[in-house]
């Protein structure tokens, strides 16, 4: 799927630096960033759910 991504000058410069440093295309840098962001969000979500389950274990046990 094709997509147009509009970046301001600072964002473009950052993307160019990342791509150059990694030796990859800008498109690949964006793809990797998306996957990394998604993985981080899932990790944070899972940690929060685990904390809630632990904190509410007695209640959850009674409801179960």
């Amino acid at each position: 799927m094709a997509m147009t991504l509009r970046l301001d000058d600072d964002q473009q410069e950052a993307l160019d630096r990342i791509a150059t440093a990694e030796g990859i295309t800008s498109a690949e840098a964006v793809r990797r960033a998306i996957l990394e962001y998604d993985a981080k969000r899932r990790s944070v979500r899972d940690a929060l759910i685990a904390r809630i389950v632990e904190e509410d274990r007695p209640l959850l046990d009674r409801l179960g």
Side-chain angles (χ1 to χ4, degrees):
M1 172 188 305
M3 177 182 170
T4 300
L5 179 62
R6 290 181 174 81
L7 303 173
D8 66 25
D9 290 340
D10 291 339
Q11 294 165 334
Q12 184 64 55
E13 288 173 14
L15 178 56
D16 292 343
R17 281 193 305 273
I18 292 166
T20 299
E22 297 290 324
I24 57 177
T25 65
S26 294
E28 180 62 21
V30 170
R31 286 190 291 268
R32 289 181 184 184
I34 290 167
L35 293 175
E36 182 179 324
Y37 179 79
D38 181 55
K40 182 178 177 181
R41 287 186 68 235
R42 288 173 183 258
S43 177
V44 169
R45 180 204 59 204
D46 292 349
L48 290 171
I49 290 171
R51 189 176 106 206
I52 290 167
V53 168
E54 186 59 33
E55 289 175 357
D56 293 335
R57 184 167 305 285
L59 175 62
L60 294 170
D61 288 344
R62 284 192 314 230
L63 290 172

